[in-house]
Amino acid sequence: MPFKNYALFTAPGVVVQDGQLGYKNLFDAILDAVYSALERAGGSSLKIVVSESGWPSAGGTQTTVDNARTYNNNLIQHVKGGTPKRPTGPIETYVFAMFDENNKSPEQEKHWELFLPNKQTKYQINFN
């Protein structure tokens, strides 16, 4: 599943080539697309802050605890650097979110968080 690997930061090599820029993950491709749009609009000096990024652990296709752990741990390590277009980092990024919310709907929306409602961790995560 090359696109799952592309989304989880686990692709072994470039998946998408855009001119001279090669993308091994979807996060960088999306971020650089926004940077390109900002540049065209005269905002090349702006810095993007990623206010929410994460992976659900249940409620849909490919929504597993293992995929959530893989994505969030890889995200934390990845944002210490930059993107192919802007290789100097870090990228200010916030993991979505702290606690599962049992009252949200649809089902997938309940399972994005790092902790269960009872404050127990869902999986090990490394912030270092």
Side-chain angles (χ1 to χ4, degrees):
M1 288 187 127
F3 291 110
K4 177 181 166 187
N5 294 337
Y6 185 60
L8 292 174
F9 301 94
T10 58
V14 171
V15 175
V16 174
Q17 189 72 39
D18 183 15
Q20 294 184 13
L21 303 175
Y23 292 92
K24 294 170 64 173
N25 64 76
L26 183 59
F27 183 88
D28 283 349
I30 292 170
L31 199 55
D32 279 355
V34 175
Y35 276 126
S36 291
L38 286 170
E39 288 169 5
R40 291 193 84 156
S44 60
S45 66
L46 295 174
K47 183 178 173 187
I48 295 172
V49 174
V50 179
S51 62
E52 291 184 356
S53 188
W55 194 283
S57 60
T61 305
Q62 301 297 327
T63 58
T64 66
V65 170
D66 188 50
N67 283 348
R69 174 182 36 253
T70 299
Y71 180 85
N72 285 317
N73 277 303
N74 288 343
L75 171 71
I76 290 164
Q77 297 310 308
H78 181 76
V79 299
K80 294 175 182 178
T83 68
K85 186 172 191 60
R86 296 205 178 170
T88 56
I91 304 162
E92 187 174 347
T93 304
Y94 296 88
V95 176
F96 180 76
M98 289 299 289
F99 295 98
D100 272 350
E101 298 181 52
N102 293 340
N103 295 324
K104 278 186 153 181
S105 65
E107 185 65 23
Q108 185 177 351
E109 290 295 316
K110 297 177 183 181
H111 306 285
W112 284 80
E113 291 67 32
L114 304 176
F115 297 91
L116 299 168
N118 66 4
K119 301 180 186 172
Q120 297 298 310
T121 58
K122 279 192 199 180
Y123 48 82
Q124 286 297 115
I125 191 149
N126 182 3
F127 287 102
N128 295 318

